[in-house]
Amino acid sequence: VDIHAPVGATPGSYKLTSSTVTVDSVGKGTATADLVIVGAPLVDFRFVQSGNEVTSVKAGDTVEIEFTYSDTNSSNVSAITSSMVLNNQIPVTVQTLPPNNSCGAGSTVTQSINNEALSINLSGGNFVADSSCTFSVEIAIPSDVSAGALNYTFESISSTVNSETVLSNKPSKTLDIIGAPKLRITMPTGVQANDSENLVFNLTHN
């Protein structure tokens, strides 16, 4: 019989006990077994400007995405691999990536493009029991975008804990974009010398 331990289940040992086993109407007792759940790292991220957490930025701004991976099982964590798509809604660009070894020796944070989608990828992350790692990626918001919201969710997060491959919960956050007003100027056509015409200024904001 297959059983499913949900992602994010509380680590620990759980005793499974069957109902009474009966053979020819005679009770033969119960069967027991221990189910050990290995805790996956807790993963979170936030948006930061000038050292402060923010939930909205202006078009044309830069903002850091600060990622944190934390042990929940009092065990060493290795082989952390994760991926988050950045520009599936607004074509942001990566300004700064963290140096190698930002999440343990041998770890790397890279950007990749697949089907025109820009992703941030962590590979080889690791840290010792009861600790964590934190790093930031700086992105730039285009100056000509309209107001809107960026909804960011991890595509995948896996790691190795106690020789077991575990999956972490995939957090999701929204960054609101405050768009700048747009000015359109309509020029008259066919103006003759010494004529007077009006320029039309149209200021809009979404």
Side-chain angles (χ1 to χ4, degrees), residues 22-35:
T22 302
V23 179
D24 294 333
S25 301
V26 178
K28 299 295 184 180
T30 59
T32 62
D34 290 327
L35 173 65

Side-chain angles (χ1 to χ4, degrees), residues 33-191:
D34 290 327
L35 173 65
V36 178
I37 294 180
V38 177
L42 176 66
V43 180
D44 198 10
F45 69 98
R46 63 178 189 155
F47 304 104
V48 176
Q49 278 188 324
S50 301
N52 299 312
E53 183 172 4
V54 296
T55 58
S56 63
V57 295
K58 301 186 299 295
D61 276 1
T62 60
V63 61
E64 292 182 349
I65 307 177
E66 183 184 88
F67 300 90
T68 299
Y69 298 72
S70 305
D71 174 40
T72 62
N73 198 63
S74 294
S75 301
N76 294 343
V77 179
S78 63
I80 305 173
T81 300
S82 64
S83 180
M84 174 190 282
V85 174
L86 293 184
N87 67 349
N88 53 349
Q89 298 152 303
I90 292 176
V92 302
T93 56
V94 173
Q95 298 294 100
T96 307
L97 288 170
N100 292 343
N101 308 313
S102 293
C103 190
S107 63
T108 59
V109 179
T110 59
Q111 59 177 314
S112 63
I113 298 177
N114 185 24
N115 294 326
E116 299 185 355
L118 174 65
S119 297
I120 293 298
N121 313 297
L122 168 64
S123 179
N126 63 92
F127 44 81
V128 298
D130 299 318
S131 64
S132 63
C133 78
T134 299
F135 59 85
S136 297
V137 174
E138 185 180 49
I139 63 172
I141 310 298
S143 59
D144 58 349
V145 298
S146 302
L150 293 174
N151 300 305
Y152 285 157
T153 303
F154 279 90
E155 288 197 315
S156 60
I157 312 171
S158 66
S159 58
T160 299
V161 179
N162 290 342
S163 301
E164 298 287 343
T165 299
V166 294
L167 303 177
S168 296
N169 279 329
K170 295 181 285 187
S172 178
K173 301 249 177 110
T174 298
L175 180 67
D176 293 321
I177 307 300
I178 303 171
K182 295 182 178 180
L183 177 64
R184 180 183 177 186
I185 303 175
T186 303
M187 303 286 291
T189 58
V191 180

